[in-house]
Amino acid sequence: MTEPRPIPMIDLKAQLEVLRPEIDDAIERVLASTAFVFGPDIRELEREYADFCGTSEACGVANGTDALHLSLRAYGIGPGDEVITVANTFIATGEAILLVGATPVFVDIDADTFTLDPAQLECAITARTKLILPVHLYGHPADMEAIDEIARRYDLPVLEDAAQAHGAEWKGRRAGSLGHAACFSFYPGKNLGAYGDAGMVTSSDADFAARVRQIANHGAGTHRYDNVVLGTNSRLDTLQAAILRVKLRHLERWTEQRRTRAAAYTRALEGIPGVVLPREHADARSAWHLYTIRVPGRDALQAHLRERGIASAVHYPRPIHLQPSMAGARGKEGDLPVSELVSREVLCLPIYPELRDEDIERIASEVRSFVSEGASRR
Ligand SMILES: Cc1ncc(COP(=O)(O)O)c(C=O)c1O
């Protein structure tokens, strides 16, 4: 009997095969120009990505972590300040806050959407709060309307961590334009991924964007060697910008394909006892960066799938308030019951535009047989 085909978490080779001629042209153009730093593709990508998000500004930076870090610096956030965020996220969200010397204040999430629960937000606001930083986890936007209503009352800016949410929408408006500013990662596995590291900050506040640009370029003033604020080198490089411009042209189609795959998963997995499926809020258009189910005994299901050649991932096994590197935030077990429960149960199944219908059927039937084998053992 032939072994069934392995199903990876993501298939960048399949994507590259289709894009190859366009990517080769883009790379060749940059090589021919030798404009490796500050080449014209960067400004073009920034303009195109701002248009895509519906903002007036987009600033290319070296990666998504820097997008967060530089944004916090551009807000002037530092020691003594508090930033409200969630713990069910990639470590970079918390790192950026601690790196500027501020304190992350973690609030719990809504179990249906895995994003900041607006009902928990107001009681976390103190006189020291300077910013609200929701995360559009797995491509599902946080409830930006409810968050914005509270933020306005307290006159606080909202910075979106949209690292996983390129093309997601809330009430028809794109992630990137939902808060005062937003941070994106173009890590290769993201819905819009570079061939290396890259990131972007979007906003419609031109002064804020100018501050981000300045800090990302050694704090330079009008003259290159006139360094007026403490900055760093966090430039997006031209080759990555040229590659991202190619991929941006395909992003909307890929998002639709992800949405079709997510709907197929939901049809195929519905009704399996004990398996909680991800839900899309009525006002949201998820970009389905990940299709994340919840299941008690998650590790055993992951092993079951692995043995049958099916990859899966746990994003994230430990909420970040319990990470040793976040000790400065003084989080402890029991602080965030929903985030902690979810981290024990989440399993992300493969989802990408090239994933086939029969792959989804096979994955769903393995989840089903795992659950029924468990039931027959009880
Ligand atoms: C939610 C979230 N925030 C921030 C980041 C950081 O982005 P990067 O890896 O490009 O630094 C990521 C990337 O994995 C992420 O998923």
Side-chain angles (χ1 to χ4, degrees), residues 62-68 88-95 135-138 161-165 183-188 190 196-199 289 315-316:
N63 54 62
T65 307
D66 277 7
L68 288 162
N88 187 344
T89 181
F90 182 58
I91 192 70
T93 318
E95 270 171 353
V135 179
H136 304 325
L137 200 73
Y138 309 144
D161 184 338
Q164 303 188 2
C183 298
F184 289 88
S185 164
F186 300 128
Y187 180 82
K190 298 291 196 250
D197 279 307
H289 174 56
H315 294 257
Y316 296 92

Side-chain angles (χ1 to χ4, degrees), residues 198-220:
M200 189 77 86
V201 178
T202 57
S203 181
S204 287
D205 177 341
D207 293 337
F208 174 83
R211 287 198 296 280
V212 170
R213 283 207 176 89
Q214 185 174 48
I215 299 166
N217 186 32
H218 299 294

Side-chain angles (χ1 to χ4, degrees), residues 136-187:
H136 304 325
L137 200 73
Y138 309 144
H140 191 294
D143 182 343
M144 291 300 287
E145 208 174 8
I147 293 169
D148 195 50
E149 191 274 314
I150 297 167
R152 273 175 204 276
R153 263 195 284 127
Y154 288 86
D155 198 20
L156 292 168
V158 180
L159 174 67
E160 306 166 63
D161 184 338
Q164 303 188 2
H166 322 73
E169 294 174 12
W170 186 266
K171 285 199 167 169
R173 278 173 51 213
R174 285 234 165 99
S177 68
L178 299 169
H180 173 262
C183 298
F184 289 88
S185 164
F186 300 128
Y187 180 82

